[in-house]
């Protein structure tokens, strides 16, 4: 009950009950980019390859002759100066406040750090230690961890050494991102988080060893508790670690007091402690996965106790419990995760024990240590082989999109009803009655769970009769997603010059959020990197990314080297390459995509002016996608627009262009008065990076658009912008909070 009340207080109370949500003085006074001088005490640190991360608390921040207080702050130190935990330091740099996502489905950086009470950070060229006070225990544990890490790297190499460090020490900083993503995609990423599996092996193991050596429950329990807390302090105090530690304390306490251990009580107590410690973890997927997995073992697995292959049923029970959480936070389900975990989890105790034994032996006798860690290498190689094999299988992951919160609640209500029904069945005393009921109960279970899945998993087709178009915020670049009423998906350009790996971090999470597991047609307007490097990245990512069915390019006469290379890459990866010339169109039910430029009359150079322009028609809705067209190309496009409008009048064209994707990010040299006179759009969409060095969108271009009554939406201020239309009516909305109509 207390856990429910705490959750309600966080959910409904906001900043009234949660101090992490309060606006600090620094947030009120400064903006990202302002220079500040920070003085604070180091409470944690991380060592990277070319910089270190210093976590500060009790901070005093000097900003414009003001002294502001900030509870926590992060300094990224490029000098990697020797700093110890407990030191007070001073550093200067440009402050950066953590930001909310710019597109649906993207990582919420602000919320991630807000949960820890951190609102801002900065990069500093150097730091000055102003107080030599050291927290000896915590700093000693950190030094021990670094030495242990060095041993693993020396004996296992950088790649697998980093992986074993992540599994044993909670240090995931140097893990190969591709391998980490491979684990997560296949549903075994949980082994990289310090959780109950780790703590049960280490904590329970030490407890039992000490109890046998001293013959006392109390002494064994105290040794186990001390060892466990030292391990948690070394590996990082995560939600899963705190949850496992609290439940471990209950278990040890029950043993010491001679009482029965109650899983439900321990789990509820752990939830209360976590929410009191970090209230905002209520919104964290890791919180729900950790507690959901234990709930599955405690509440669902007992239904399968008498069946063989208990490992399989344990995996099934956990997946039944956490399925809504996986879909709500990660938008996909790894189909073969149940089977993979049948191999991975039973081998984890061996991996951890070999890692521990090998690390200790390596310090004394290198040969036994090398032998033990070689077995660890073999196990990790086997894990990676399992993942790479599974990812190549059909339907390795099922991308469903994000279900609504209401559907998640309905799923758990139906699951709880099934658990109560089977609990009632188990307490029936008459065996004959139970036998008569089982067929009925199984039918009810099948129907109820089918209904639960139907409610939980969103439909993969577009809204009935509606066209959806989203201009994504990819920074300084372009990326426009379109979903037809038929469910077919299109991507017009995809790239960025200022966002690193825009395909992986901006476009693909959005696609998964929308339930899009494949792009049917990817159009590339021209060969500039800010229009195509994310598409190239998605192709290079292979099975880890979102597949592309067809690549659509302008006529070959306007290709540059970049487009030629992209076409070759696509063909090498089994993607069909289509050429779309002026006058050609794609018909998808009531949706038509017409290519208006470049045509045979265009004799200019490849590049911006040669951008492929596509006119989108659906009922009475019209939209023009222009790439970076300008100059000679824009003049040719203007003539093509006039011709097309005249030809379409016989098809019921009303002469109105509802939406224009403004060319070249709203630059001064595009979207001329002549072009606007020919198109006269009602709405203009501009994709550009915030505070970009080009000054996009240019004020002259914006004024020309506003002068004809065109309402503008720009990604720097509005984030992703989405248009819905049924062919007769249209709505448009901006993703960024407070933006849009």
């Amino acid at each position: 009950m207390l856990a429910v009340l705490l959750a309600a207080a966080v959910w409904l109370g906001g900043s009234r009950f949660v101090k992490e949500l309060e606006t600090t003085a620094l947030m009120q006074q400064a903006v990202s980019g302002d220079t500040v001088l920070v003085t604070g005490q180091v409470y944690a640190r991380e060592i990277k390859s070319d910089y270190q991360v210093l976590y500060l608390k009790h901070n005093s921040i000097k900003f414009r002759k003001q002294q502001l207080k900030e509870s926590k702050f992060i300094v990224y130190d490029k000098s990697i100066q020797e700093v110890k935990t407990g030191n007070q330091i001073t550093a200067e740099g440009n402050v950066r406040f953590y930001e909310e996502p710019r597109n649906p489905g993207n990582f919420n950086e602000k919320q991630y750090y807000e949960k820890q009470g951190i609102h801002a950070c900065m990069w500093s060229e150097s730091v000055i230690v102003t107080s030599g006070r050291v927290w000896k225990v915590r700093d000693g544990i950190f030094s021990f961890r670094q030495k242990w890490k060095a041993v693993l790297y020396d004996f296992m190499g950088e790649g697998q050494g980093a992986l074993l460090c992540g599994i044993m020490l909670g240090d995931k900083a140097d893990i190969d991102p591709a391998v980490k993503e491979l684990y997560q995609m296949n549903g075994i990423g949980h082994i990289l988080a310090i959780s109950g599996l780790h703590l049960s092996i280490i904590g329970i193991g030490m407890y039992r060893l000490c109890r046998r050596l001293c013959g006392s429950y109390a002494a064994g329990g105290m040794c186990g508790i001390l060892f466990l807390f030292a391990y948690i302090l070394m590996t990082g105090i995560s939600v899963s670690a705190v949850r496992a530690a609290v439940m471990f304390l209950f278990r040890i306490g029950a043993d010491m007091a001679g009482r029965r251990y109650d899983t439900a009580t321990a789990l509820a107590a752990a939830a209360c402690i976590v929410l009191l410690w970090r209230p905002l973890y209520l919104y964290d997927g890791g919180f729900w996965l950790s507690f959901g997995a234990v709930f599955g073992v405690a509440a669902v697995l007992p239904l399968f106790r008498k069946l063989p292959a208990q490992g399989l049923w344990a995996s099934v029970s956990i997946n039944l419990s956490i399925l809504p959480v996986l879909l709500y936070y990660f938008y996909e389900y790894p189909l073969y995760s149940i089977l993979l975990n049948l191999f991975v989890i039973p081998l984890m105790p061996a991996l951890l024990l070999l890692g521990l034994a090998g690390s200790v032996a390596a310090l004394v006798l290198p040969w036994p240590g090398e032998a033990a860690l070689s077995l660890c290498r073999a196990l990790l190689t086997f894990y990676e082989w399992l993942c790479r094999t599974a990812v190549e299988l059909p339907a390795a992951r099922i991308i469903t999109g994000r279900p609504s919160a209401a559907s998640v609640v309905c799923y758990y209500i139906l699951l709880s009803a099934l658990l109560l029904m089977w609990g009632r069945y188990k307490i029936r005393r008459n065996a004959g009655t139970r036998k008569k009921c089982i067929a009925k109960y199984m039918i009810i279970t099948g129907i109820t769970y089918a209904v639960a899945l139907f409610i939980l998993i969103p439909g993969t087709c577009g809204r009935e009769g509606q066209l959806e178009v989203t201009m994504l915020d990819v920074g300084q670049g372009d990326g426009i997603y379109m979903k037809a009423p038929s469910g077919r998906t299109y991507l017009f350009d995809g790239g960025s010059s200022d966002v690193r790996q825009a395909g992986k971090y901006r476009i693909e999470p959005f696609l998964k959020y929308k339930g899009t597991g494949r792009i049917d047609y990817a159009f590339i307007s021209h060969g500039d990197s800010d229009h195509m490097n994310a598409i190239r990245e998605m192709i290079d990512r292979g099975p880890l990314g979102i597949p592309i069915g067809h690549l659509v390019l302008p006529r070959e006469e306007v290709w540059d080297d970049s487009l030629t290379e992209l076409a070759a890459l696509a063909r090498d990866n089994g993607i069909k390459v289509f050429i779309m010339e002026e006058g050609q169109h794609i018909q998808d039910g009531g949706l038509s995509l017409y290519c208006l430029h470049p045509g045979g009359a265009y004799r200019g150079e490849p590049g911006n002016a040669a951008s492929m322009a596509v006119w989108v028609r659906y009922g009475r809705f019209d939209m023009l996608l222009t790439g970076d067209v300008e100059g000679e190309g824009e003049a040719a496009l203007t003539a093509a627009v006039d011709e097309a409008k005249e030809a379409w009048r016989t098809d019921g064209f009303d002469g109105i262009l509802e939406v224009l994707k403004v060319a070249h990010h709203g630059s001064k040299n595009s979207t001329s008065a002549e072009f606007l006179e020919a198109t006269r759009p009602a709405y203009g969409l501009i994709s550009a990076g915030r505070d970009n060095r080009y000054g996009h969108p240019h004020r002259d271009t914006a004024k020309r658009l506003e002068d004809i009554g065109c309402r503008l939406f720009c990604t720097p201020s509005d984030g992703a912008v989405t248009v819905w239309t049924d062919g007769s009516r249209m709505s448009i909305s901006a993703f960024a909070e407070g933006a849009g109509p």
Side-chain angles (χ1 to χ4, degrees):
M1 181 58 72
L2 178 58
V4 173
L5 291 175
L6 286 170
V10 174
W11 193 282
L12 302 174
S15 59
R16 288 175 294 175
F17 299 118
V18 183
K19 65 178 182 180
E20 288 85 355
L21 293 175
E22 295 175 358
T23 302
T24 65
L26 182 64
M27 296 167 69
Q28 293 173 341
Q29 299 292 327
V31 297
S32 290
D34 285 339
T35 301
V36 298
L37 184 71
V38 179
T39 300
Q41 187 175 33
V42 179
Y43 69 88
R45 58 193 179 110
E46 298 175 7
I47 306 296
K48 308 288 186 179
S49 57
D50 53 355
Y51 64 95
Q52 66 177 331
V53 186
L54 304 175
Y55 295 83
L56 310 182
K57 66 178 184 178
H58 307 315
N59 301 289
S60 176
I61 299 179
K62 186 176 181 181
F63 173 65
R64 294 179 182 171
K65 299 182 180 180
Q66 300 179 76
Q67 290 296 136
L68 307 175
K69 299 296 182 183
E70 187 76 13
S71 60
K72 292 184 178 179
F73 197 89
I74 295 180
V75 172
Y76 298 95
D77 172 35
K78 297 179 182 178
S79 67
I80 318 185
Q81 182 178 334
E82 180 65 28
V83 175
K84 295 185 179 295
T85 308
N87 285 171
Q88 186 178 77
I89 67 161
T90 296
E92 187 174 14
N94 296 325
V95 67
R96 185 175 81 83
F97 295 101
Y98 294 110
E99 299 174 351
E100 294 182 327
R102 307 294 299 168
N103 304 290
N106 285 187
F107 173 64
N108 193 331
E109 181 189 49
K110 182 175 184 289
Q111 187 183 76
Y112 176 81
Y113 285 100
E114 205 169 51
K115 289 180 297 191
Q116 306 169 57
I118 302 170
H119 301 100
C121 66
M122 74 177 187
W123 284 89
S124 179
E125 296 294 334
S126 64
V127 300
I128 300 172
V129 178
T130 57
S131 170
R133 180 186 176 188
V134 177
W135 295 344
K136 293 184 179 179
V137 173
R138 186 173 292 188
D139 195 69
I141 290 175
F142 176 81
S143 299
F144 176 74
R145 179 190 186 188
Q146 292 300 110
K147 291 176 182 177
W148 192 347
K149 180 178 177 180
V151 169
L152 294 177
Y153 275 49
D154 287 343
F155 281 83
M156 297 191 65
E158 188 172 344
Q160 290 192 323
L163 197 52
L164 192 57
C165 278
I167 293 171
M168 294 180 60
L169 307 179
D171 186 348
K172 299 186 281 289
D174 298 327
I175 296 177
D176 183 348
V179 174
K180 185 177 178 181
E181 187 175 8
L182 192 65
Y183 276 36
Q184 292 168 339
M185 179 180 167
N186 284 281
I188 68 166
H190 59 87
I191 69 173
L192 299 177
I194 303 300
S195 63
L197 181 64
H198 299 69
L199 300 189
S200 62
I201 293 169
I202 293 172
I204 298 294
M206 182 59 67
Y207 161 64
R208 288 176 176 171
L209 177 63
C210 293
R211 195 182 69 189
R212 283 179 176 244
L213 290 175
C214 62
S216 167
Y217 279 96
M222 291 305 299
C223 289
I225 290 168
L226 291 174
F227 187 84
L228 185 67
F229 275 91
Y231 181 71
I232 291 174
L233 198 60
M234 180 181 69
T235 57
I237 308 175
S238 64
V239 167
S240 56
V242 171
R243 190 268 307 154
V246 172
M247 297 187 73
F248 172 80
L249 290 177
F250 270 76
R251 179 170 178 176
I252 298 299
D255 277 355
M256 292 168 65
R259 305 206 33 198
R260 181 176 173 272
Y261 171 68
D262 182 63
T263 303
T265 301
L267 190 64
C272 292
I273 289 171
V274 169
L275 291 177
L276 286 170
W277 169 57
R278 290 279 188 264
L280 292 181
Y281 273 109
L282 182 68
Y283 303 107
D284 182 67
F287 172 89
W288 294 105
L289 287 174
S290 180
F291 283 86
V294 177
F295 173 81
V297 172
V300 182
L301 182 58
L303 300 179
F304 308 108
R305 283 295 184 201
K306 294 183 179 180
L307 298 176
Q310 279 295 290
L312 171 64
W313 293 111
S315 189
V316 168
S317 300
I318 291 171
N319 277 269
L320 288 174
S321 298
I322 66 173
L323 177 62
V325 179
L326 284 174
L327 301 188
Y328 189 81
Y329 286 99
F330 303 102
Y331 326 130
E332 61 181 320
Y333 178 72
L335 186 61
Y336 304 112
S337 62
I338 292 177
L339 298 177
L340 262 62
N341 278 296
L342 289 179
F343 296 96
V344 170
I345 293 177
L347 290 173
M348 275 297 291
L351 179 64
L352 290 172
L353 292 174
L354 284 169
L356 285 169
S359 302
V360 173
L363 298 174
V364 183
L365 296 170
W367 286 107
E370 173 68 31
L373 294 175
S374 294
L375 291 174
C376 290
R377 278 199 300 270
L379 288 173
L380 292 175
T381 302
F382 176 63
Y383 282 1
E384 187 171 340
W385 176 83
L386 277 176
C387 290
R388 294 196 182 280
T389 302
V391 84
E392 296 291 343
L393 295 175
R397 58 176 177 170
I398 301 173
I399 295 175
T400 62
R402 184 180 214 176
S404 66
S407 64
V408 171
V409 172
C410 287
Y411 176 95
Y412 280 118
I413 289 173
L414 291 173
L415 180 62
S416 300
L418 289 176
L419 292 175
L420 289 172
M421 182 186 74
W422 283 102
R424 181 183 173 188
Y425 169 81
K426 287 180 68 177
I427 62 174
R428 288 179 179 269
R429 295 184 178 180
N430 189 314
T433 306
R434 285 204 303 268
K435 190 174 182 179
K436 289 178 182 178
C437 291
I438 190 161
K440 179 178 71 174
Y441 276 29
M442 291 183 71
I443 292 171
I444 293 172
T445 299
I447 294 173
T448 304
Y449 197 68
V451 170
L453 289 178
F454 179 79
I455 293 171
L456 181 67
I457 299 176
T460 55
C461 290
R463 296 186 185 183
E464 185 177 355
Q466 285 212 347
L467 172 70
E468 178 183 348
V469 183
T470 299
M471 177 178 68
L472 294 168
D473 185 344
V474 291
Q476 185 65 19
D478 262 14
I480 295 178
Y481 165 83
M482 181 183 296
K483 191 166 192 175
S486 65
R488 191 167 287 127
T489 54
Y490 304 85
L491 187 62
F492 297 88
D493 285 336
S496 179
S497 61
D498 64 347
V499 172
R500 180 174 164 271
Q501 293 184 280
K504 179 179 179 180
Y505 295 116
R506 293 284 177 104
I507 297 177
E508 287 185 2
F510 167 82
L511 294 176
K512 290 194 285 186
Y513 175 90
K514 300 300 292 185
T516 299
R518 169 188 167 95
I519 291 295
D520 294 302
Y521 292 90
F523 291 71
I524 304 295
S525 63
H526 64 297
D528 283 1
S529 63
D530 62 334
H531 288 252
M532 58 170 278
N533 59 17
I535 302 288
R536 171 186 287 275
E537 178 192 342
M538 290 168 68
I539 296 173
D540 283 333
R541 280 168 52 73
L544 295 179
I546 301 294
I548 294 171
H550 307 84
L551 188 67
V552 184
L553 303 177
R555 62 190 183 91
E556 289 192 59
E557 289 81 0
V558 299
W559 286 12
D560 56 12
D561 291 343
S562 296
L563 283 182
T564 302
E565 292 171 5
L566 183 65
L569 178 66
R571 291 189 181 105
D572 290 344
N573 284 271
I575 300 171
K576 294 180 180 179
V577 178
F578 289 165
I579 308 300
M580 195 171 186
E581 300 190 9
E582 181 188 26
Q584 294 182 327
H585 77 283
I586 294 175
Q587 194 68 38
D588 182 2
L591 173 67
S592 303
L593 307 175
Y594 294 89
C595 178
L596 299 187
H597 180 74
Y602 175 76
R603 295 287 184 254
E605 296 292 322
N608 290 346
S611 293
M612 178 167 54
V614 177
W615 189 293
V616 180
R617 300 201 67 202
Y618 181 60
R620 294 171 55 196
F621 171 82
D622 292 88
M623 179 176 186
L624 180 57
L625 307 172
T626 55
D628 277 352
V629 69
E630 59 186 9
E632 183 182 348
E634 186 174 85
L637 175 60
T638 303
V641 166
D642 286 334
E643 285 184 30
K645 287 169 65 176
E646 188 62 34
W648 292 333
R649 289 193 191 281
T650 59
D651 295 332
F653 178 55
D654 59 8
I656 299 173
L657 175 64
E658 276 75 19
V659 180
L660 169 69
K661 201 292 292 187
V662 179
H664 202 186
H665 322 293
S667 74
K668 183 180 181 180
N669 299 323
S670 67
T671 321
S672 64
E674 294 77 14
F675 175 76
L676 290 177
E677 183 61 32
T679 55
R680 301 196 68 83
Y683 291 91
L685 308 183
I686 299 178
S687 177
R690 284 187 292 173
D691 303 318
N692 65 82
R693 59 191 178 94
Y694 308 102
H696 295 158
H698 197 277
R699 60 179 178 273
D700 291 349
T701 303
K703 188 174 187 307
R704 287 197 295 270
L705 287 157
E706 290 167 357
D707 285 347
I708 64 166
C710 178
R711 182 174 181 182
L712 290 179
F713 286 81
C714 306
T715 56
S717 57
D718 298 328
V721 180
T722 300
V723 177
W724 290 276
T725 179
D726 61 3
S728 59
R729 293 171 298 177
M730 183 192 84
S731 63
I732 185 167
S733 66
F735 178 71
E737 185 179 353

